[in-house]
Amino acid sequence: MAYILLRHRDIENLHKLDVYREHGGYEALQKAIDEYTPAEVIDIVKASQLRGRGGAGFPTGLKWSFIPKGPGEKYITINSDESEMGTFKDRELLEYNPHQVIEGALIAAYAVGAPQIYNYMRGEFMDIGYHFEEAILECYAAGLLGENILGSDFSCDMSAYYGAGAYICGEETALLNSLMGELGQPWAKPPFPAIEGLYFKPTVVNNTETLANVPPIITNGAEWYTSMGTEKSKGPKIVCLSGHINKPGNYEIVMGMTFRELLFSGEYGGGIPNGKEFKGLLPSGGSGPVITADALDAPISYEGLDVYGSVMGSASVVVMDETVDMVWAAMKMEHFFKHESCGKCTPCREGTYWMDQLLHRIYEGEGTLQDLDVLKSVANRIGGRTLCALGDFAINPVLGTVRHFSNEYEAKIKK
Amino acid sequence: MTFTEKYAAEIEGIMARFPHKKSAVLPLMHLAQHYYGYMSREAMEEVAAILDLDPTHILSLAGFYTLYYEEPVGTYVLEICNDLACALRGADEFVEMACDKLGVGVDGTTEDGLFTIKTVMCLAACDRAPMLQCNLKFEENLDEEKFEQLIARLRDEAANGRTPPTVVEKVAAYAKSTS
Ligand SMILES: Cc1cc2nc3c(=O)[nH]c(=O)nc-3n(C[C@H](O)[C@H](O)[C@H](O)COP(=O)(O)O)c2cc1C
Ligand code: SF4
Ligand code: FES
């Protein structure tokens, strides 16, 4: 099947504007402007059932509909912070298919009436940001950005922005604070960004991959889009595959494919290296609970892991073979969350510190049964009590591994 | 020459991207750090002066964001990812090998002032582990031999004084051209 998102794999030099246009590029934007009112564009995106690819899966059309109508200062912010462990899909889009992201963002801007777009990339993306910067320059030169885009009365500017190393800046309100020159810490919602976002004006924050889905939806229609996928998860999804797998990398799948096919089919992951057995995988990097072999036939979709107590998130699939010590894996992940907690609220700041300490102690064979109990109870007391979802993510390394591999913890307890 | 003078056009271009100049603070800090080597007092004071900000705000940003170095670092900062996905592919052993080769510990700088090794969280390159960023430039699918070649190339570059523009400068040049 031809690629919908990773189209640069079919078409050489797609990052260049002339090549992108030769292959239908910016026709979706033209169509949106010529044939649809902003409200109709929102309706089409709603009908497509597109959901956010940044992890939470919020319906994109609905999000756009929350933005107050009419002219005024409003913003589109592309979330290219991509810092979840195991995630490298937005990077590939920015590097090799930047125009599809820009076109999607422009359609979003037309739909909500925003005259300005920022792309917030993590600071570590400066090395690949030049493709995106080049694409912006090409768009200005071709009348696709700036005043009167494509000769219409729609005007919009765009610029790139680089963060400076902070996972929390992927959280939408932290991102906006960071873009305003503040510490990258979340604020308590409400106010939601749709009402008070960047510079306290209505703002849409969408993930890079989410926006790349928009041009093909406008071109081919909502029905085409909903013909792909499962009941609650429509369309294509880029899955990032890493860890103990023969062919790591990004794969564009249609939602509903099973984890088993992703891991073991020769077309995708190609199995576990060195004839080792599969032990578990993290379906959404460090932020979702580990799943084991019994969940391999679950469909890759927003709802597919509900019964297994996990989530697809941004679909960053980290595979672990039989040799992996799960206490070690949990310790690695908790170290990440301790490092990335922004420190604004106590349960997350203190809790990640203690979980990190206790995991180290247990891993090193110095932990007691009481330490293990404390570890579990700390984890159980953080969930739902924090300002942002990082606190909820941070307990999953512990709760997921304890649930499936409690024997490995017990084996390490000091006798 | 101060950083403000050397990069006047870039600074203007960066500030022109935002309706409120405070938004320019992180990009200007990247550039100031590039010029001074780390977030020195001068670097912070200059950025604060350009944007009419309290220098303590710059100090707190420098502490919050990991890409700003509060202490002097080597000419080349090697940030090796040893987060879980990379560690499953030997990143921890790679860090040890790199430290041994350069005779420093993590966060240490070689005596000649050329290299600093740091370990960092996921850099969105997990499928190409072991990997690192050298002054924010991706170096991927590494092994001992490729690491040695990289170090040799950088030593040679430094000895001959032909250091190519860093990615920070490249990105800042775009701001200049769009202002
Ligand atoms: C700690 C944390 C980190 C996040 N990191 C990212 C990220 O790197 N990229 C992203 O698109 N969304 C991230 N999100 C989700 C955003 O808050 C937000 O939901 C998303 O950008 C909305 O876009 P979407 O609806 O298109 O997915 C993160 C959320 C949290 C709580
Ligand atoms: S939950 Fe953690 S990351 Fe989120 S605001 Fe609180 S301290 Fe910061
Ligand atoms: S875990 Fe190292 S780049 Fe992702």
Side-chain angles (χ1 to χ4, degrees):
Chain A
M1 208 187 74
Y3 285 108
I4 296 167
L5 304 170
L6 302 174
R7 288 174 71 220
H8 53 278
R9 293 185 178 185
D10 287 331
I11 305 162
E12 217 181 319
N13 290 322
L14 192 65
H15 64 280
K16 295 189 178 142
L17 181 60
D18 52 348
V19 178
Y20 185 70
R21 288 188 105 165
E22 266 165 42
H23 292 86
Y26 292 101
E27 282 173 17
L29 176 65
Q30 180 97 56
K31 185 175 175 189
I33 295 175
D34 290 350
E35 295 178 24
Y36 303 122
T37 64
E40 284 168 342
V41 172
I42 295 181
D43 285 341
I44 293 168
V45 175
K46 271 188 185 164
S48 76
Q49 299 179 49
L50 171 63
R51 296 173 64 179
R53 303 304 198 228
F58 194 83
T60 306
L62 187 63
K63 180 182 279 189
W64 295 1
S65 73
F66 294 152
I67 300 289
K69 309 282 173 286
E73 193 181 338
K74 304 177 201 176
Y75 296 95
I76 303 287
T77 313
I78 309 171
N79 189 342
S80 301
D81 192 55
E82 190 162 70
S83 308
E84 179 65 48
M85 189 270 296
T87 316
F88 40 85
K89 62 189 180 65
D90 300 337
R91 173 183 168 185
E92 181 167 346
L93 290 172
L94 295 170
E95 210 169 347
Y96 299 109
N97 195 7
H99 281 292
Q100 193 163 330
V101 178
I102 294 176
E103 186 175 9
L106 276 170
I107 294 168
Y110 172 74
V112 306
Q116 175 73 48
I117 303 167
Y118 289 109
N119 183 13
Y120 188 106
M121 291 180 265
R122 61 183 298 186
E124 296 90 339
F125 279 177
M126 277 191 230
D127 188 28
I128 58 142
Y130 68 94
H131 270 182
F132 199 86
E133 304 258 13
E134 285 290 344
I136 291 177
L137 289 183
E138 287 180 312
C139 283
Y140 272 107
L144 289 159
L145 277 172
E147 299 287 311
N148 303 105
I149 291 172
L150 294 167
S152 71
D153 52 16
F154 168 56
S155 301
C156 190
D157 287 301
M158 177 183 289
S159 51
Y161 188 84
Y162 302 92
Y167 167 67
I168 189 58
C169 289
E171 195 282 335
E172 54 186 11
T173 61
L175 181 152
L176 296 173
N177 265 335
S178 178
L179 193 45
M180 289 190 277
E182 305 293 346
L183 296 185
Q185 290 181 318
W187 69 66
K189 295 181 265 191
F192 288 93
I195 308 301
E196 272 182 42
L198 188 62
Y199 311 121
F200 312 101
K201 301 295 178 196
T203 302
V204 170
V205 181
N206 267 139
N207 172 254
T208 319
E209 181 189 356
T210 309
L211 292 169
N213 277 270
V214 172
I217 289 173
I218 298 299
T219 302
N220 303 306
E223 230 166 274
W224 165 80
Y225 197 78
T226 55
S227 73
M228 292 175 281
T230 68
E231 195 195 333
K232 293 181 181 161
S233 309
K234 303 299 185 189
K237 177 81 192 83
I238 306 175
V239 178
C240 318
L241 195 51
S242 67
H244 292 142
I245 192 77
N246 277 319
K247 288 164 46 192
N250 284 321
Y251 293 94
E252 181 176 317
I253 64 158
V254 168
M255 281 201 275
M257 178 194 278
T258 64
F259 285 97
R260 188 182 302 282
E261 184 174 0
L262 176 75
L263 262 54
F264 296 101
S265 151
E267 222 183 299
Y268 301 97
I272 316 279
N274 310 317
K276 293 281 194 303
E277 288 293 317
F278 169 81
K279 183 167 187 178
L281 67 78
L282 298 156
S284 53
S287 66
V290 63
I291 58 175
T292 52
D294 65 321
L296 280 177
D297 292 310
I300 302 174
S301 63
Y302 292 103
E303 69 277 23
L305 289 173
D306 287 354
V307 288
Y308 298 97
S310 194
V311 289
M312 174 180 77
S314 47
S316 335
V317 177
V318 184
V319 184
M320 294 178 280
D321 73 17
E322 56 184 316
T323 65
V324 175
D325 176 337
M326 286 293 165
V327 180
W328 169 81
M331 183 179 77
K332 277 271 181 196
M333 290 187 275
E334 209 50 63
H335 177 69
F336 175 94
F337 287 114
K338 187 201 83 172
H339 187 265
E340 302 298 340
S341 168
C342 82
K344 191 164 176 175
C345 48
T346 317
C348 171
R349 184 186 60 239
E350 301 290 315
T352 52
Y353 172 83
W354 282 111
M355 290 190 291
D356 181 58
Q357 292 274 308
L358 289 162
L359 280 165
H360 266 96
R361 202 182 304 165
I362 295 169
Y363 175 69
E364 269 141 32
E366 298 295 320
T368 61
L369 263 182
Q370 203 199 344
D371 287 331
L372 184 53
D373 285 340
V374 175
L375 177 66
K376 291 187 239 177
S377 82
V378 171
N380 282 314
R381 273 182 290 152
I382 300 173
R385 289 189 175 81
T386 56
L387 191 59
C388 86
L390 189 142
D392 300 321
F393 299 164
I395 63 180
N396 287 328
V398 169
L399 296 184
T401 52
V402 163
R403 173 165 170 220
H404 293 288
F405 304 100
S406 62
N407 57 326
E408 295 191 22
Y409 280 88
E410 280 147 23
K412 285 195 167 51
I413 294 300
K414 208 163 139 186
K415 297 289 172 328
Chain B
M1 192 165 31
T2 62
F3 137 77
T4 315
E5 287 158 2
K6 171 151 188 204
Y7 292 110
E10 285 85 348
I11 293 169
E12 196 188 322
I14 290 168
M15 288 172 64
R17 289 181 165 188
F18 312 100
H20 301 278
K21 60 185 175 184
K22 197 171 187 181
S23 285
V25 68
L26 298 188
L28 292 196
M29 285 171 72
H30 282 305
L31 205 50
Q33 169 160 289
H34 163 75
Y35 186 76
Y36 288 108
Y38 74 110
M39 268 291 135
S40 63
R41 227 186 121 132
E42 283 163 293
M44 292 198 250
E45 281 171 358
E46 272 192 64
V47 172
I50 296 167
L51 299 176
D52 285 325
L53 293 171
D54 195 321
T56 59
H57 183 63
I58 315 291
L59 187 67
S60 66
L61 294 173
F64 185 87
Y65 293 99
T66 56
L67 288 183
Y68 303 124
Y69 311 129
E70 296 176 274
E71 302 291 331
V73 288
T75 313
Y76 300 102
V77 182
L78 306 173
E79 296 182 303
I80 308 174
C81 173
N82 68 342
D83 210 349
L84 180 58
C86 282
L88 292 171
R89 293 186 161 254
D92 284 326
E93 295 74 15
F94 184 83
V95 170
E96 234 171 90
M97 181 279 298
C99 286
D100 275 358
K101 283 258 143 55
L102 295 179
V104 291
V106 171
D107 292 325
T109 300
T110 52
E111 270 173 31
D112 57 9
L114 274 187
F115 301 103
T116 300
I117 291 188
K118 289 179 180 283
T119 55
V120 295
M121 303 295 150
C122 183
L123 289 172
C126 334
D127 55 334
R128 303 170 200 177
M131 59 78 57
L132 58 81
Q133 281 197 324
C134 172
N135 294 356
L136 296 183
K137 201 171 166 342
F138 281 106
E139 303 287 345
E140 303 171 319
N141 292 316
L142 298 174
D143 54 23
E144 185 168 343
E145 194 188 326
K146 285 187 192 148
F147 180 76
E148 281 174 348
Q149 288 165 358
L150 172 69
I151 296 300
R153 194 185 81 216
L154 297 173
R155 283 214 164 102
D156 182 59
E157 220 180 75
N160 295 303
R162 18 172 205 85
T163 37
T166 64
V167 299
V168 174
E169 282 181 303
K170 279 198 217 163
V171 161
Y174 281 99
K176 185 161 78 173
S177 64
T178 46
S179 70

